Amino acid sequence: MTAPVGLSTQEAAVRLAKNGPNILDSRSRNSAWKLLLRQFESPIILILFAATIISMFLGEVTDGIIILAIIVPSGLLGFWQEHRASKTMESLLNQIHIHVEVIRDGKEITIPIEEVVVDDLVALRAGDLVPADIHVVQASGLMVDESAMTGESFPREKAVGEIDAAKPLAQRGSELFYGTHVVSGVGQGIVIKTGRDTEFGEIAQSLNSRDVTTGFERGTTAFGMLLLKAMIFLVSALFIVNMFLHRPIIDSLLFSLALAVGLTPQLLPVIISVSLAAGAKRMAQKQVLVKRLDAIEDFGLMTALCTDKTGTITAGAIRLDGALDPTGEVNERVLELAFLNAKSQKGFINPLDAAIVSSVGTKFTEAKVLGEIPYDFERRRLTVLVDDHGPLMNTKGAFASILGICTNVRVGKELKPLAPMMTELQNLFQEISSQGNRVLGIATKSVTAQARVSIDDEKEMVFEGILVFHDPLKPDAKEAIEELAMLGIDLYMITGDNRFAAKSIASQVGLPSEVVLVGADISALDNDALNEKVKRCRVFAEVDPIQKERIILAVRASGATVGYFGDGINDAAALHAADVGISVDTAVDVAKNAASIVLLDKDLRVIAQGVSLGRTTFVNTMKYVRVGVSAAFGNVVSMAIADIFLPFLPMLPMQILLLNFMTDFPAIAISGDQVDSEDIIKPRAWDIKAIRKFMIYFGLLSSVFDIVTFIVLRRGFHAPDTLFRSGWFIESTLTELAVMMVLRTHRRFWRSKPGKGLFWSSLILAVTTIAIPFTGFGSVIGLAVPPLNLLIILFGLIGIYIVLNEIAKKYWMK
């Protein structure tokens, strides 16, 4: 059994070594092998392997070895790039830490969540993620959000008791579950299960066996299906034609399969992984950590950003500017009451209390704490019971919440009824709030000696005064909002602060503030009415967590892709409701866990930079998709036409595979390509219709030039099979490289500078392609040395092809 002091450090280390870290996913040691094997699991690749082996048995040993020597390095290239991308993401995710407070050797210490072991004694406070399955041994107002486990939207109070495993999860009142989080209160508990053994771990393992498809993956799948349909039709037709022409069945099969490899998106997963991982790495350099690669697309698609004002629009450097009595005069007693409340409460660590304690210094002494009613977002206040010349309830919270539990007001040494002074107090509150200040109320009530207090005791209290907090605007807040607007992103300010402060802050940074929607109004609206309201409103005040979530859903209903930036306990639901949940590395655990993007700097400009980088990453991915597929489609159509009219195969399978392998290198370099500024001004998404149109138009244009090349080779040079294949090998590769330079940009291609990796890899490949027929390797793979006049004509055709693509993209490339 665990002693009240928890485990010793030594015992915890032994258990960690024996049972392993407290994680849900156990990454297999064979994951690298699985990644390698995945490069060769495509049915087309497997059939190609089989057909190649058969051809070797039938005597074509040299050709078979060459084909295998091309397929295997191509797979290894894909493996190396994907493995590197995986390692990059792993290192980035390691920067996001969730810590847990445990009692070890009788002291409370902070450890990474992975180091929690069975029988650890865990301390829990508001905002903490429950790090394991835990048996509660101490609780004070401990309210836990279990919606991740039970689907119940309202927090559940937890108390000390026995565990009954036979009961449903929602009825286990003395047990906490991994993946849930503390909404309010404090508690301690003993860990009974960790990692995959937890209730959440069992659910996660069952979910891992299902395919959960993201929007990015759906776009990728739709694109793959487009190519698959085209490939099946063209390649099957080509194989039938070859059979009809009585060509050798194995050669025909290998030729058809080689074309299928060229047309199918074999490299697409690699390109996407490399491009997104490279984007994630660049975003990390700009203080933006991506937890899921597919979130980059959603980040780039964002058209609305919902955020609190603290730390984003304001500096987040909250200071206490005044402790005033109900008449607005500075009052030392109000300041002392604020200090006692802030210093005594343990259930809700927050910057307002830190500002109070910091401003007081050593002026006042602490009082003995007799009890506490922790803060929650429904009451919007917290109470401590202290020994201040007798038991005294000391309650601090939102101004309206405090007024609602008071019946009297302290003016000097007199107690006066609240009702006659209500208008005067409201005017004081509005005047101070309208200057952009946050205002809290504070109240007291003397009680008889008692061990604890409850929410029912928060009534008939004395209003003592107000606390005035100021959080200055960030100097560049207005410019940051304008920068977001230039990217097509509307900012919505959602705050729990009062309407007057919210309106003041919004007007200072240029947000439309004529209409301010408050929590009470939101509660009175149904979803349809709220959807209409948010179209005309950018500032929301006095909202609770449920209302935040409703606002997010309403903005989404307008057709916007919504990002939500939050770092507090009350932000978890909104982070889940948004298309993109954004938090910061200093956020409470539950917010970091719910977010898909974590910032290392709480700044709107960092978000703007991240959005730009996200869009850059997606634009580069689309370059490969559009240009690669149109070139491949054009080649297959050209092959099909040539195959019908030529007395020999237009290219050998090994030549097709070599061409595909070599063009993989510039394709991978696309991930680091330069992107024109106008391409990231607005969000972009998968558009299969546009890709199909691009593929057909530019693919057929490519085929026209291929056919012209065929005519030049056969009619002009009377080229035999080896020279024909050399000419087309050079023309096909160089046109694909040239068209990448032209179609990678909407500008005139000479006005858009390509990335160094793309430029140099393309140049090296062009030189290599021209050189191959002049080498011994060229003769081995069946290529002949082309005459100089043929090369000059091919270069001329390629030049004309570049000009026509430059003209065509004005009409066909949107």
Side-chain angles (χ1 to χ4, degrees), residues 95-401:
Q95 298 182 49
I96 304 171
H97 302 291
I98 294 179
H99 291 98
V100 180
E101 283 68 46
V102 298
I103 314 299
R104 289 193 182 161
D105 300 320
K107 299 177 182 178
E108 183 175 312
I109 63 171
T110 300
I111 63 171
I113 190 172
E114 294 84 6
E115 295 180 13
V116 172
V117 298
V118 172
D119 284 342
D120 254 330
L121 185 59
V122 178
L124 293 163
R125 300 178 179 88
D128 286 348
L129 192 73
V130 177
D133 285 357
I134 293 173
H135 181 200
V136 177
V137 296
Q138 181 181 322
S140 175
L142 186 63
M143 303 293 290
V144 178
D145 184 336
E146 295 185 327
S147 56
M149 291 293 296
T150 65
E152 175 57 54
S153 57
F154 294 100
R156 170 125 191 245
E157 184 169 10
K158 297 290 183 173
V160 177
E162 295 298 320
I163 292 179
D164 186 351
K167 288 183 177 180
L169 299 183
Q171 296 179 20
R172 299 186 198 175
S174 62
E175 192 173 352
L176 307 177
F177 304 107
Y178 182 104
T180 61
H181 68 273
V182 180
V183 175
S184 63
V186 293
Q188 289 187 352
I190 296 172
V191 174
I192 54 178
K193 293 178 183 177
T194 61
R196 287 171 294 159
D197 295 330
T198 61
E199 299 289 345
F200 190 87
E202 292 181 10
I203 294 172
Q205 287 182 63
S206 66
L207 289 176
N208 284 341
S209 63
R210 306 175 195 171
D211 289 326
V212 181
T213 313
T214 66
F216 190 85
E217 289 169 334
R218 284 194 295 273
T220 307
T221 302
F223 170 64
M225 288 302 297
L226 168 67
L227 291 192
L228 184 63
K229 290 174 183 177
M231 181 270 293
I232 290 173
F233 173 75
L234 289 172
V235 174
S236 299
L238 202 55
F239 182 71
I240 292 169
V241 167
N242 278 323
M243 290 296 94
F244 180 76
L245 296 174
H246 305 292
R247 288 174 179 164
I249 186 169
I250 293 297
D251 288 350
S252 300
L253 178 60
L254 287 173
F255 177 71
S256 298
L257 291 172
L259 284 183
V261 171
L263 185 57
T264 51
Q266 299 292 331
L267 201 63
L268 181 61
V270 178
I271 294 293
I272 288 175
S273 295
V274 171
S275 184
L276 295 183
K281 194 171 183 178
R282 287 194 295 270
M283 290 169 76
Q285 292 168 354
K286 297 293 185 180
Q287 310 295 298
V288 181
L289 297 182
V290 181
K291 288 170 64 180
R292 297 188 338 266
L293 282 179
D294 59 273
I296 290 178
E297 185 203 22
D298 290 330
F299 203 33
L301 284 173
M302 192 166 66
T303 56
L305 176 65
C306 302
T307 180
D308 195 357
K309 61 181 178 59
T310 305
T312 51
I313 297 173
T314 64
I318 299 173
R319 67 173 186 264
L320 178 64
D321 265 10
L324 312 179
D325 68 15
T327 65
E329 298 296 321
V330 175
N331 187 289
E332 195 80 353
R333 175 58 178 166
V334 173
L335 181 60
E336 182 180 12
L337 289 171
F339 169 78
L340 291 176
N341 182 286
K343 194 69 176 177
S344 301
Q345 71 93 11
K346 303 297 180 186
F348 183 53
I349 309 302
N350 63 89
L352 297 177
D353 282 351
I356 293 170
V357 173
S358 175
S359 69
V360 168
T362 59
K363 185 181 293 186
F364 305 117
T365 58
E366 298 180 41
K368 181 180 179 182
V369 182
L370 305 175
E372 178 178 349
I373 310 173
Y375 182 91
D376 67 62
F377 292 95
E378 187 175 345
R379 290 164 43 248
R380 303 184 70 200
R381 59 181 180 265
L382 67 86
T383 294
V384 292
L385 180 64
V386 295
D387 186 359
D388 185 23
H389 307 293
L392 181 73
M393 281 181 65
N394 179 329
T395 304
K396 177 178 90 270
F399 179 79
S401 173

Side-chain angles (χ1 to χ4, degrees), residues 516-550:
V516 178
L517 202 59
V518 298
D521 296 334
I522 294 170
S523 296
L525 298 172
D526 62 22
N527 290 338
D528 290 337
L530 181 59
N531 292 348
E532 287 300 314
K533 284 281 187 182
V534 298
K535 293 177 182 178
R536 301 184 299 276
C537 182
R538 293 295 180 271
V539 182
F540 304 84
E542 302 170 28
V543 298
D544 62 32
I546 301 300
Q547 291 163 348
K548 280 187 181 182
E549 183 180 10
R550 288 190 65 201

Side-chain angles (χ1 to χ4, degrees), residues 119 457 459-460 475 567 738 775 796:
D119 284 342
D457 296 312
K459 59 185 179 182
E460 299 176 354
D567 62 353
T775 65

